[in-house]
Amino acid sequence: MSTFGRRSALIVFPALALVFSASCAAAGTSSGVVAESSAAPTASASAATDSTSSSSVSKSALPAATALDLLGSIPVRKETPAGYARSKFRHWVDADGDSCNTREEVLIAESSSKAQVAYPGCKVVAGDWVSAYDGVAVTDPSSFDIDHFVPLKEAWDSGANLWSASKRQTYANDLSDARALIAVTAASNRSKGEKDPPQWMPTNSAYACTYLSNWVVVKSHWGLSMDQSEYGFVAKRLKGVCAGTAAEIGRAHV
């Protein structure tokens, strides 16, 4: 081959390679779209995609939904109060067999200092607590109640009437999310009673938005409904003075 011929080959082939590469890239993009919409990916491709997705999620925290977003998923319907009895929610059980029943578990978990527990058995006798409902601080747990954040009757009226006895017991002793049960002064707990937010709100105004957010979270988690008055009251405040309040991921009591 002449010198000219060799130079031509060196010039033409790279050009062809660039054209070929561009064509392949275009074809690859096109075929990728078709495969996604019309055919299942191969096992290896799926594994790679899953791995990439998992990695992306673990490395970048997704923004928490707001309480208002979560509120939109809660069904609105009339309450069904007939047949309620507190005894249908067996509570203060010792689910893990450590001698501490649910009440004591919550007191131990919520004390800001190491709670003092009397044994044998399990009786919390001292610690440091602040009641979120009214801001009262105490060291003697005898003046504290453990409140079902969404009261038992409210839960019954909102769907728990259809649950099994076992599920109602799990609800009444829920230590999986610290919002479900909360240690508060007996006075504030008894003031609240069985009331929902339109009927009762904490006197501690700094806790009001958190209270509404937690109410929404507990209802959503347990698949409970809201009546129209309750939904409207909560929605108005989550769109107004409590706009942007996050429905954050909860922590367990134990």
Side-chain angles (χ1 to χ4, degrees), residues 188-239:
S188 65
N189 184 40
R190 291 163 199 184
S191 170
K192 174 183 175 181
E194 300 169 345
K195 303 179 185 75
D196 62 9
Q199 301 166 320
W200 187 90
M201 285 289 290
T203 57
N204 176 13
S205 59
Y207 184 67
C209 293
T210 299
Y211 184 82
L212 292 175
S213 175
N214 291 354
W215 184 274
V216 171
V217 170
V218 174
K219 281 226 161 180
S220 175
H221 175 74
W222 284 94
L224 297 171
S225 63
M226 292 187 177
D227 62 28
Q228 190 62 60
S229 171
E230 175 189 359
Y231 189 94
F233 179 93
V234 175
K236 180 178 180 180
R237 280 150 186 77
L238 291 181
K239 291 176 181 176

Side-chain angles (χ1 to χ4, degrees), residues 21-193:
S21 298
S23 299
C24 287
T29 302
S30 175
S31 62
V33 172
V34 172
E36 183 177 349
S37 61
S38 62
T42 64
S44 59
S46 295
T49 301
D50 291 345
S51 174
T52 301
S53 299
S54 300
S55 175
S56 298
V57 171
S58 63
K59 290 180 179 179
S60 59
L62 298 176
T66 66
L68 183 61
D69 292 333
L70 194 58
L71 178 67
S73 69
I74 294 178
V76 179
R77 53 176 174 256
K78 291 182 179 179
E79 294 184 343
T80 53
Y84 169 75
R86 189 173 176 83
S87 60
K88 293 182 178 180
F89 292 81
R90 183 173 174 237
H91 54 284
W92 303 170
V93 302
D94 178 14
D96 59 6
D98 67 351
S99 298
C100 296
N101 66 24
T102 304
R103 171 184 163 82
E104 309 305 327
E105 297 276 20
V106 174
L107 288 171
I108 291 169
E110 293 195 357
S111 176
S112 60
S113 62
K114 185 176 177 60
Q116 297 178 38
V117 183
Y119 295 101
C122 176
K123 178 69 175 176
V124 179
V125 295
D128 291 281
W129 298 272
V130 176
S131 170
Y133 291 174
D134 50 15
V136 175
V138 302
T139 57
D140 178 3
S142 65
S143 63
F144 258 37
D145 282 352
I146 304 304
D147 181 42
H148 291 94
F149 202 87
V150 173
L152 299 181
K153 186 176 186 304
E154 173 67 24
W156 175 274
D157 295 352
S158 306
N161 61 309
L162 302 175
W163 295 351
S164 66
S166 174
K167 185 171 181 178
R168 286 196 291 270
Q169 177 175 312
T170 301
Y171 176 85
N173 298 274
D174 185 10
L175 296 173
S176 68
D177 187 330
R179 288 168 289 204
L181 297 170
I182 181 172
V184 293
T185 58
S188 65
N189 184 40
R190 291 163 199 184
S191 170
K192 174 183 175 181

